[in-house]
Amino acid sequence: MNRTDRLYALVEELRAVSPRPRSARWLAARFEVSSRTIERDIGALQQSGVPIWAEPGRTGGYVLDRARTLPPVNLTAGEAVAMAMALHRLRGTPFAAAAATALRKLVAVMPAADVAEAHRLAGRVHLIGDGPVTPVPAAVADAVLARRVLRIRYADRAGADSLREVEPLGYLGNSLHWYLLAWCRLRAGIRAFRTDRIVSVQPLSEVVTRDLHLDDLDIPHERMRPLSLV
């Protein structure tokens, strides 16, 4: 069991027996790790806002406050990233810290497979500044999530359009626009397509196998901020 799965399982184990405690030794035997590993895991959960406390004494252990936690949440990867994007826009407000804690609580109770997929999707979103407000066509968003090749008709700044097959790799957003980052087969290179200039979209059946690396973008790394679920 990897750490992400174990953290999720720890929360569910403590929720199932709450308000009774589980000792570090019992949990270590249950998850086949050391008591020190359990203590580190519990510490990580507490720092992320999960309401777990230690009950002292011979019959003590760790207790989860069920009244202040959520049951497993069936958010899709796209829904989790949407929450992260919305909460990201609270940066600089008095509610920024509360937004970050709320997101960590949601992620903590999502099934592990969905969390992993959400992290993969969030890793393909890069922001400059506070993030954009222009819309992204639904077909483009679906293709980035499903990693499907697209055939797009794209208009340049002069209004001239061209037909291209592109391999969607992720998004880049600044304060004005969203850009689809993709491998353009016409130009044989990474290109950024402003989404409001995409005239038409046709998803193809071919699956994208290429990955995006920040070094592929001609943008100083210090200007970009990846979207995070933590």
Side-chain angles (χ1 to χ4, degrees), residues 119-137:
H119 277 293
R120 283 192 289 271
L121 179 57
R124 298 199 288 272
V125 180
H126 304 279
L127 303 172
I128 298 175
D130 291 331
V133 295
T134 55
V136 174

Side-chain angles (χ1 to χ4, degrees), residues 153-164 187 197-199:
R153 187 169 294 280
Y154 185 73
D156 64 18
R157 66 180 63 186
D161 63 355
S162 58
L163 189 64
R164 309 175 185 224
R187 304 301 184 196
R197 290 181 179 164
I198 297 176
V199 179

Side-chain angles (χ1 to χ4, degrees), residues 60-135:
Y62 294 109
V63 180
L64 176 75
D65 185 351
R66 295 184 67 177
R68 297 180 58 200
T69 62
L70 294 168
V73 177
N74 294 321
L75 292 178
T76 66
E79 289 168 342
V81 173
M83 295 285 292
M85 188 67 234
L87 292 172
H88 162 82
R89 298 186 70 83
L90 293 175
R91 288 173 64 93
T93 75
F95 304 101
T101 301
L103 182 60
R104 287 195 294 267
K105 286 180 179 178
L106 280 173
V107 172
V109 295
M110 287 174 61
D114 293 339
V115 171
E117 181 59 29
H119 277 293
R120 283 192 289 271
L121 179 57
R124 298 199 288 272
V125 180
H126 304 279
L127 303 172
I128 298 175
D130 291 331
V133 295
T134 55

